[in-house]
Amino acid sequence: AQKVTQAQTEISVVEKEDVTLDCVYETRDTTYYLFWYKQPPSGELVFLIRRNSFDEQNEISGRYSWNFQKSTSSFNFTITASQVVDSAVYFCALYQLRRHIQGAQKLVFGQGTRLTINP
Amino acid sequence: DAEITQSPRHKITETGRQVTLACHQTWNHNNMFWYRQDLGHGLRLIHYSYGVQDTNKGEVSDGYSVSRSNTEDLPLTLESAASSQTSVYFCASSEGPGQLKQYFGPGTRLTVT
């Protein structure tokens, strides 16, 4: 079965600090996708990134970066020079592509990490 | 612009009543999903549909039903609302197997008293 674990329930840092959100996943499939979503206080879910299982290149987008390591089944998210506007709940999610795999073609979410950036 | 909407945004109902939450998307996406969000659990899948007349149970489907009579809508029905179903409900859609980005609605906050 597929599972996503975000062990950090809450993180609080001071503005301008770097912060890393951990995500560990479990899957039996070799073809899958990993996602990060942001949920700001307003409540909507905002897509941040998608990474497929065959692409282990790290990605950087402005102050955001993602470290995908298949060897440790992790897909960690780092915010550099954090800002108050980064305060939100962040969800990691796993998506198995193959229809014949039980549970495939559905997003499975981690429990979420509540990030608070203090001024 | 294409979008996904949910109604109502807030609902208070009594235990035992039937409640229907609406989800409407204008992207013409085949795949639609219903999730509930509770503290400590993240988002959990309730039901999903890969197309018209197709519905499937997710991990927390007990007490809920859906129907898909057209591409645009996937209403979620609570047959007999229970206090354990107090939650925030999100609808989502995606174009198909090759299009993995799910677009989420704004959410419906349901309180069962």
Side-chain angles (χ1 to χ4, degrees):
Chain A
Q2 53 188 15
K3 182 181 178 182
V4 176
T5 302
Q6 295 178 252
Q8 304 150 307
T9 305
E10 295 191 33
I11 299 175
S12 181
V13 301
V14 176
E15 197 172 21
K16 298 184 182 178
E17 285 186 15
D18 298 348
V19 58
T20 296
L21 283 61
D22 297 333
C23 173
V24 175
Y25 63 92
E26 295 176 28
T27 177
R28 295 178 183 176
D29 203 1
T30 57
T31 303
Y32 53 89
Y33 289 77
L34 294 162
F35 296 77
W36 276 94
Y37 282 84
K38 175 183 180 180
Q39 186 177 41
S42 53
E44 75 275 19
L45 280 152
V46 179
F47 168 86
L48 294 179
I49 191 172
R50 178 185 71 217
R51 171 66 72 217
N52 74 58
S53 54
F54 298 108
D55 183 0
E56 287 195 70
Q57 274 191 321
N58 291 333
E59 179 149 342
I60 298 174
S61 176
R63 296 183 297 105
Y64 295 172
S65 63
W66 291 267
N67 182 7
F68 176 32
Q69 292 194 340
K70 288 180 74 172
S71 61
T72 56
S73 297
S74 65
F75 186 44
N76 297 337
F77 173 31
T78 297
I79 301 175
T80 303
S82 60
Q83 299 177 2
V84 173
V85 294
D86 296 326
S87 296
V89 180
Y90 291 86
F91 292 97
C92 181
L94 169 68
Y95 189 104
Q96 289 178 177
L97 184 61
R98 299 180 187 174
R99 187 182 276 269
H100 70 276
I101 301 293
Q102 185 178 14
Q105 302 213 358
K106 305 186 298 290
L107 271 178
V108 172
F109 285 82
Q111 302 92 323
T113 296
R114 180 176 298 277
L115 176 63
T116 302
I117 311 297
N118 299 300
Chain B
D1 288 343
E3 60 178 355
I4 181 166
T5 58
Q6 294 182 233
S7 62
R9 295 294 312 278
H10 302 271
K11 174 78 175 179
I12 300 174
T13 191
E14 295 178 346
T15 301
R17 289 189 179 267
Q18 183 181 80
V19 177
T20 297
L21 309 183
C23 175
H24 179 81
Q25 51 96 4
T26 58
W27 283 296
N28 205 36
H29 284 168
N30 288 324
N31 297 352
M32 295 185 73
F33 308 83
W34 272 105
Y35 298 88
R36 60 177 289 174
Q37 183 180 15
D38 305 288
L39 273 175
H41 291 281
L43 278 82
R44 292 180 292 175
L45 184 64
I46 305 171
H47 282 285
Y48 59 102
S49 168
Y50 291 148
V52 176
Q53 302 302 330
D54 176 76
T55 60
N56 306 277
K57 294 181 178 181
E59 63 176 305
V60 290
S61 60
D62 287 348
Y64 303 94
S65 64
V66 293
S67 61
R68 188 89 180 271
S69 58
N70 59 55
T71 301
E72 295 80 17
D73 300 289
L74 186 70
L76 177 71
T77 297
L78 287 67
E79 303 294 344
S80 177
S83 57
S84 60
Q85 294 176 309
T86 293
S87 187
V88 179
Y89 291 85
F90 286 95
C91 180
S93 72
S94 66
E95 187 170 350
Q99 302 294 329
L100 301 174
K101 180 179 176 181
Q102 288 195 9
Y103 296 83
F104 283 83
T108 294
R109 182 175 296 276
L110 176 67
T111 302
V112 183
T113 62

